[in-house]
Amino acid sequence: MASSALSHSILSPLNSHSSNRTLETVSVSSFNRVSIARISRSPPQLKTTQTSFIANCASTATDSSKDETPIELRFPAYPTVVDINQIREILPHRFPFLLVDRVIEYNPGVSAVGIKNVTINDNFFPGHFPDRPIMPGVLMVEAMAQVGGLVMLQPEVGGSRDSFFFAGIDKVRFRKPVIAGDTLVMRMTLTKLQKRFGIAKMEGKAYVGGEVVCEGEFLMAMGNSE
């Protein structure tokens, strides 16, 4: 009876624990064979998990090293829709004031995206500034206006190369400096055209590395091509 009670008092609390614990029977000299619960836990899974994690990381590193492309091959060049020779046929500007090197998107009479490769050899850098080469803001605006000229000096619009002028700017903001080595990407979009008065209103934004460096509204005065 004592043995039964002892067995019950020892086993009862242990039965309420998790199912992964097992029972073993041991012999005790002062009692008849008494069942005593001996806790046996499942082996920990942490080591296996850590090993698997390390293996996965090693596999990922190996795969990425195999697929890694050299940086000089990673970024494609801008497309050429209008090259410098075609630009010279449309715009009257010449060195040192032609500030558009290439057009990468072109919708005549609607919009255009042009680029200006800013290099230390540009003639304005010796004076602006000798110790910190920054492209003058007025030249950024001029470059954007030239992209606007490429949009408007088309038969579809009726602009004349001989009488096309930059008439005004509004709400111009310079967000970040443009320095030697940058590629200035300029988008100009026609927002309003009054052919009767020969006036075109355009919206422009310039970017470096996908960030806006300059923006504003432009007013162009066009003569008749006839």
Side-chain angles (χ1 to χ4, degrees):
M1 202 53 199
S3 173
S4 175
L6 178 60
S7 175
H8 183 270
S9 64
I10 293 176
L11 292 178
S12 294
L14 294 172
N15 288 337
S16 62
H17 293 296
S18 63
S19 59
N20 65 347
R21 298 177 180 180
T22 60
L23 296 179
E24 294 181 6
T25 302
V26 297
S27 178
V28 180
S29 61
S30 58
F31 300 96
N32 294 329
R33 297 179 65 85
V34 179
S35 294
I36 300 178
R38 182 175 293 173
I39 301 172
S40 176
R41 300 179 182 273
S42 299
Q45 301 297 321
L46 179 59
K47 185 175 181 181
T48 304
T49 304
Q50 288 177 340
T51 303
S52 175
F53 174 75
I54 293 171
N56 289 337
C57 288
S59 174
T60 303
T62 303
D63 293 341
S64 63
S65 64
K66 288 181 180 178
D67 298 337
E68 186 174 357
T69 304
I71 191 168
E72 66 271 18
L73 303 178
R74 221 176 287 167
F75 305 101
Y78 285 111
T80 301
V81 178
V82 181
D83 64 23
I84 188 61
N85 294 316
Q86 294 168 306
I87 290 172
R88 285 164 56 89
E89 291 175 2
I90 299 171
L91 295 179
H93 307 75
R94 292 295 181 267
F95 177 85
F97 227 66
L98 180 56
L99 301 175
V100 184
D101 295 322
R102 183 189 304 180
V103 174
I104 61 177
E105 183 183 289
Y106 196 31
N107 297 301
V110 180
S111 66
V113 179
I115 65 172
K116 158 66 178 167
N117 295 308
V118 183
T119 78
I120 195 63
N121 293 317
D122 282 314
N123 69 328
F124 46 78
F125 278 138
H128 198 280
F129 300 100
D131 297 325
R132 191 185 180 195
I134 298 177
M135 185 176 184
V138 291
L139 294 184
M140 291 167 59
V141 171
E142 170 63 25
M144 295 167 73
Q146 290 181 18
V147 177
L150 293 169
V151 175
M152 304 307 299
L153 293 178
Q154 295 298 320
E156 294 88 341
V157 183
S160 171
R161 171 174 170 163
D162 297 328
S163 56
F164 182 84
F165 300 100
F166 186 10
I169 53 174
D170 194 19
K171 300 179 182 178
V172 172
R173 295 292 182 272
F174 301 103
R175 304 297 182 186
K176 288 187 175 183
V178 176
I179 63 175
D182 286 340
T183 298
L184 190 65
V185 182
M186 303 162 284
R187 176 178 288 276
M188 293 291 290
T189 305
L190 178 65
T191 57
K192 189 176 182 180
L193 176 62
Q194 295 180 326
K195 278 191 174 183
R196 180 180 177 183
F197 302 103
I199 297 294
K201 189 174 183 180
M202 308 190 77
E203 183 180 86
K205 287 189 177 183
Y207 304 81
V208 171
E211 296 186 17
V212 176
V213 294
C214 179
E215 59 185 327
E217 296 177 355
F218 295 72
L219 197 65
M220 309 293 188
M222 306 184 305
N224 196 305
S225 59
E226 296 178 356

